[in-house]
Amino acid sequence: MAEVMTETEPETTWSSVRYNFYSDTQTKPTRAMREAVLEAEVGDEQLFADPTTLRLERRVAELLGKEAAVFMPSGTMCNEIAIKVHTDPSDEVICERSSHIVGYESGGPAMLSGVMLYTLDGDRGRFSAEQVRTAIRPAARYMPRSRLVSVEQTANLAGGSIWPVELLDEVAEVAHQAGLSTHMDGARLMNAAVAAGVPAARFARDMDSVWIDLTKGLGASVGAVLAGGGDFIEQAWRWKQQWGGAMRQSGILAAMGLYALDHHVDRLAEDHVRAARIGEALAGMPGVAEVVPVETNIVVFRTVEGFPGGPGLAEAAAEHGAAISVRDERSCRIVTHLDVDDRDVDVLLEVMASLLG
Ligand SMILES: Cc1ncc(COP(=O)(O)O)c(C=O)c1O
């Protein structure tokens, strides 16, 4: 995804942003969340002596219906460690083409686990059990071994689409029958749970590992929690230690996560309503060719030739103080989150109408 603004962009570019629809990763911790940190009991996390982190891990394990969980610095680390635990070098991981592990983890699966990625073209980020069946390689001396199926809930770059429970069940069944493990990148699993009215644990039921991000819709500033069976988490801990992810008084961070789980889950519904409103308004603009059906907090849309598109549109929006991200030469992505309200949506839509109307 060619982003117009990147982490290397001068600070002034970001500081001119007044309406930030670039990503739900842009949220800043609220005052109440910061206050929760002041009260956090802390200890040495590497020695399992940080009570707040332990509380967060137990809470997320329960939320996801798993035996155990481990606090990680980031979602990327959750994905990379899960792949490492589930596979051996030269194995193959089946996943969707637009998934984060393919395009946005700096080639980590190849470097850290020595695995190959077998990418499927999904329907808005979701693939079928039949596609998995076809992708699983027969046992042959000269072929890589298919070892893991990885899904992304919601499918971010495909427009925040939700994997329905039945589809997940079918995909997991095919994987497990063939002896493969299953992993869910749940960066936005709580968005799916709120939008679909399905408990996160039900979505994750047949996943051997699953994680949630605390820094996206939930609005914390650092951290993700990886969950799975006791044995899986024990192995995950070993890689976390080896890769430098073990922490010390991490309760300072975990307290934000606990606060987010208490206060920022139900409100995701507001983000979804705002995203739906944006999608509907865009669909009515002459310069918009297609809006991917909006299911959660992400709006991906393509513009008509002759109107600004992709990078040109994001640049023009930025001149009005609105940040959106670029999907490709003609498409952009708009994301709603804790730090944008109805008034911000009004302004964004005015800007979009002026560019695409
Ligand atoms: C679907 C998905 N997976 C993984 C990640 C990585 O999460 P983190 O930024 O916490 O490393 C992201 C981040 O944007 C994401 O969107």
Side-chain angles (χ1 to χ4, degrees):
M1 178 170 60
E3 306 275 8
V4 162
M5 288 191 289
T6 71
E7 66 271 27
T8 54
E9 206 74 14
E11 200 184 321
T12 47
T13 310
W14 282 108
S15 62
S16 67
V17 171
R18 277 168 295 144
Y19 313 100
N20 197 336
F21 292 88
Y22 181 86
S23 172
D24 46 10
T25 56
Q26 299 281 310
T27 57
K28 307 222 168 97
T30 61
R31 181 165 193 91
M33 186 180 265
R34 291 169 196 241
E35 280 166 4
V37 171
L38 291 177
E39 304 303 324
E41 261 189 277
V42 297
D44 189 339
E45 189 242 10
Q46 289 194 26
L47 300 180
F48 300 108
D50 186 280
T52 310
T53 301
L54 293 173
R55 202 145 56 83
L56 174 67
E57 289 168 341
R58 275 195 300 272
R59 172 98 179 255
V60 174
E62 204 170 294
L63 178 73
L64 301 180
K66 301 297 175 202
E67 225 178 325
V70 51
F71 187 39
M72 295 284 190
S74 72
T76 300
M77 201 170 212
C78 293
N79 276 339
E80 293 301 329
I81 286 182
I83 292 170
K84 185 74 180 169
V85 174
H86 289 304
T87 63
D88 289 311
S90 83
D91 286 343
E92 202 159 54
V93 177
I94 298 169
C95 58
E96 212 272 339
R97 186 176 301 282
S98 69
S99 55
H100 201 272
I101 58 171
V102 174
Y104 304 95
E105 298 190 4
S106 313
M111 175 71 194
L112 301 169
S113 298
V115 292
M116 319 234 304
L117 298 180
Y118 187 121
T119 56
L120 301 173
D121 286 318
D123 166 23
R124 288 195 274 131
R126 301 160 298 202
F127 46 79
S128 67
E130 196 43 45
Q131 282 178 286
V132 174
R133 203 188 311 278
T134 311
I136 295 174
R137 300 194 190 259
R141 176 171 43 84
Y142 43 81
M143 286 187 181
R145 283 187 304 177
S146 307
R147 282 296 282 281
L148 176 66
V149 174
S150 179
V151 299
E152 201 172 281
Q153 182 72 303
T154 64
N156 171 13
L157 295 180
S161 41
I162 299 171
W163 283 74
V165 163
E166 307 73 41
L167 184 56
L168 286 170
D169 292 354
E170 285 166 22
V171 162
E173 194 184 349
V174 169
H176 286 150
Q177 270 174 1
L180 279 69
S181 302
T182 51
H183 170 70
M184 177 181 281
D185 168 339
R188 295 179 182 80
L189 170 57
M190 299 316 295
N191 290 87
V194 167
V198 172
R202 178 62 189 90
F203 278 129
R205 189 191 70 182
D206 296 344
M207 296 293 131
D208 299 307
S209 54
V210 52
W211 59 272
I212 56 165
D213 218 320
L214 304 169
T215 65
K216 304 219 158 54
L218 297 187
S221 59
V222 181
V225 186
L226 174 64
D231 194 43
F232 170 86
I233 293 300
E234 218 170 282
Q235 293 181 66
W237 243 111
R238 193 173 169 76
W239 294 113
K240 164 170 149 143
Q241 186 76 46
Q242 191 183 98
W243 292 351
M247 295 174 270
R248 298 296 183 186
Q249 289 71 32
S250 58
I252 295 290
L253 307 174
M256 281 188 280
L258 283 165
Y259 181 89
L261 289 171
D262 285 336
H263 299 280
H264 293 169
V265 174
D266 292 344
R267 66 149 306 285
L268 291 171
E270 296 171 29
D271 298 342
H272 302 162
V273 169
R274 291 189 179 111
R277 184 183 152 211
I278 293 168
E280 241 170 74
L282 286 171
M285 294 180 192
V288 174
E290 187 200 355
V291 180
V292 174
V294 179
E295 296 186 37
T296 51
N297 67 325
I298 296 176
V299 186
V300 170
F301 63 104
R302 191 164 49 81
T303 59
V304 174
E305 292 285 342
F307 286 89
L313 181 62
E315 270 162 31
E319 281 166 23
H320 294 273
I324 64 175
S325 67
V326 178
R327 190 65 189 82
D328 59 38
E329 280 310 299
R330 287 240 65 86
S331 308
C332 284
R333 187 189 68 158
I334 287 171
V335 185
T336 54
H337 51 77
L338 187 63
D339 285 359
V340 291
D341 60 16
D342 288 330
R343 175 70 199 126
D344 296 325
V345 172
D346 292 343
V347 175
L348 175 78
L349 291 179
E350 277 166 33
V351 170
M352 287 296 136
S354 73
L355 300 168
L356 302 168

